[in-house]
Amino acid sequence: MMGMRTTRVVLAALNAKYIHKNLALRWLYVSAPADFDVSIVEGVIRDDPMHTADRILEKQPDFVGLSVYIFNAEETKRLIRCLLEKSPDLPIIVGGPEVTYDPYPWIQLGVAAVVRGEGEVVFWEYLQGKSTQSIVTKEIHSDVIARVDLQKLETFEPPYFLPFDQEDMGKRYLYMETSRGCPYKCAYCLSSLEQGMRFFSVNYIETLFNALKTSDVKQVKFLDRTFNVNPKQALGFARKLRDLPRSISFHVELVGDLLSEELIEFFIHQDKGRFRVEIGVQSFKRETLLEVGRFSNLSQLKNVIRRFSEADVHQHTDLIAGLPFEDLASFKDSFNTLFSLNPFEIQVGILKLLHGTRLREHADDYGYKYDSHSPYTLRSSNWMSASEMMTVERVAQAVEKTYNSQKLRKTLQKWITNYELNAFDLFDDLGKTINSLPRPYSQKDFFAAILAAVLPKVNNALVDLIDDYYRLSPIYPQPFWTEEPMTEAQKQLRKTIRTTLDSRYRGIKHLKVVSRNDALEGNFAWVYPEGGQEHMKITFNKNFELESEIRYETPHRDA
């Protein structure tokens, strides 16, 4: 029968988390010729590979295509072994950035072919038996990296709103792209290997934005390496996104020092959290930046980050430890400089020596020692010893646990500013303390450990930590500090505040009265009503007059 699909193809990938979706598989799905019966299987990297293999094989595929990235490479190798153990003659084709620049180990693993570059055309040409470039097999060698005409992609069904994605559309990120490629040549990044930029048409992108209006999408992440490479177009897109339903938030990656004033003002004046911006800093050491091909205007970059911080823009900033000419002392300086700008998040990354990048090709020149398996993490260099790299890793973990989690961000900023502390050294101390905790540990254990770590350096640390502890506790918590029996004066204070609260609120189950930590006289009252759907922080002045109220919602009782 004409038009019937006869060849079954399963496209599969292991995502980092369920909330992520693989856009590359969906582009392959929509670009498939009519004589293929195509389905998608997605798992996560923690899944049992045998179980994932069974999910794939139950569809009885004639071919399997796997999408491989640095974060899922080792798990995908295990999946391939399971597939071939169960179905030795199954042709497996792999593609993605991890295999594009190092295809031959995958051929040795037993796959039939490796797609080098973008696969929307060459993948299907290979399955049709056509002669095509950018395919590597046991018999075929190719150095050609495939690049697709984006206007051709616009002729396919958009991969963003497919029927099988509709049920979970509001529970997973929607990844979108307005361009491919990167105009910069950073020596550590795979995007530096692409030649030039390619853009989807404005009309095509705006059509997709219009489709978002009636979707259940909650969060859109743009994959563009540089959203603001075309400032005028970026501003136009940003304004279109702003006018979409307020239930949708957006993540874009920006080059901070090249932002136009119009874009800066745009992001500053949006609702808090509506737009999340990512700005790569990598280092503040000029010699390091020049060596890796980044030509940043550092004064302008600092100014942009500071302005975003003052406006409470949700900005994610990146540093990379291990770049050429940056020793531990200069990396500390880079970290402390970035911390002083008060960004919403600081990601401390360890250099990864990716296949195909200039830093990997010249690893011996830099004295780089790194893991032989993905993600190829740097362990030491001419400028940093193995123990110093471990120090940076410890700081990175502490930043994630205390700062990026928003558990203690404002408190840490306050301490480091008021007590003139070295931010890097403080996070190193916190990292040592957190690492010493038994696993798993409770919130109570965490706060007790933080208190012990900072007491020698920070006066009245307990008062600040108590405030964070109750803010983060949807259920009335046990104290992490040793409480003395209440004095008569404290009992009377609590009684007075309770009387005031009882006249305003019903069903108070728990009440904790603590001293204010904002240098003013008075008290904070932490109120936990019956039902557990929210808790409140009530501020009283020294005359027991209510100044303010903050409510913290708790959608689930055990959240």
Side-chain angles (χ1 to χ4, degrees), residues 71-138:
F71 67 84
N72 72 1
E74 300 306 314
E75 291 81 4
T76 302
K77 289 176 183 177
R78 288 193 281 272
L79 174 58
I80 290 170
R81 294 187 186 102
C82 292
L83 286 168
L84 293 178
E85 177 183 331
K86 290 173 173 286
S87 183
D89 297 325
L90 177 66
I92 300 172
I93 301 92
V94 296
E98 173 62 14
V99 304
T100 288
Y101 298 99
D102 189 37
Y104 297 102
W106 296 85
I107 297 296
Q108 295 169 4
L109 187 63
V111 306
V114 176
V115 175
R116 304 195 73 179
E118 298 170 2
E120 290 93 342
V121 174
V122 298
F123 178 82
W124 297 112
E125 288 179 343
Y126 172 74
L127 294 194
Q128 290 173 319
K130 297 179 180 179
S131 176
T132 183
Q133 295 181 322
S134 307
I135 292 288
V136 172
T137 69
K138 287 182 179 180

Side-chain angles (χ1 to χ4, degrees), residues 305 309 315 317 338-339 341-346 403 409 413:
I305 294 173
S309 298
Q315 61 175 327
T317 55
L338 182 56
F339 186 88
L341 302 174
N342 295 332
F344 189 73
E345 292 178 355
I346 300 173
Y403 189 89
R409 180 170 69 91
Q413 289 172 342

Side-chain angles (χ1 to χ4, degrees), residues 261 263-271 304 307-308 311 313:
E261 182 61 26
L263 272 172
I264 294 172
E265 285 293 317
F266 173 86
F267 289 118
I268 282 176
H269 291 100
Q270 299 312 303
D271 291 345
V304 168
R307 288 176 66 184
F308 280 170
V313 174

Side-chain angles (χ1 to χ4, degrees), residues 46-91:
R46 67 174 181 271
D47 286 345
D48 180 351
M50 277 294 185
H51 174 66
T52 305
D54 287 338
R55 292 176 58 209
I56 293 171
L57 294 175
E58 70 182 9
K59 297 181 179 295
Q60 299 181 324
D62 299 302
F63 297 93
V64 170
L66 299 176
S67 182
V68 190
Y69 296 81
I70 189 173
F71 67 84
N72 72 1
E74 300 306 314
E75 291 81 4
T76 302
K77 289 176 183 177
R78 288 193 281 272
L79 174 58
I80 290 170
R81 294 187 186 102
C82 292
L83 286 168
L84 293 178
E85 177 183 331
K86 290 173 173 286
S87 183
D89 297 325
L90 177 66

Side-chain angles (χ1 to χ4, degrees), residues 33-53:
D35 53 345
F36 288 94
D37 180 8
V38 186
S39 58
I40 288 178
V41 171
E42 288 182 290
V44 295
I45 53 177
R46 67 174 181 271
D47 286 345
D48 180 351
M50 277 294 185
H51 174 66
T52 305

Side-chain angles (χ1 to χ4, degrees), residues 101 147 185 189-195 355-358:
Y101 298 99
R147 296 288 178 256
K185 300 296 179 183
C189 182
L190 285 178
S191 297
S192 67
L193 304 176
E194 300 185 33
Q195 300 299 316
H355 289 290
T357 60
R358 179 159 60 84

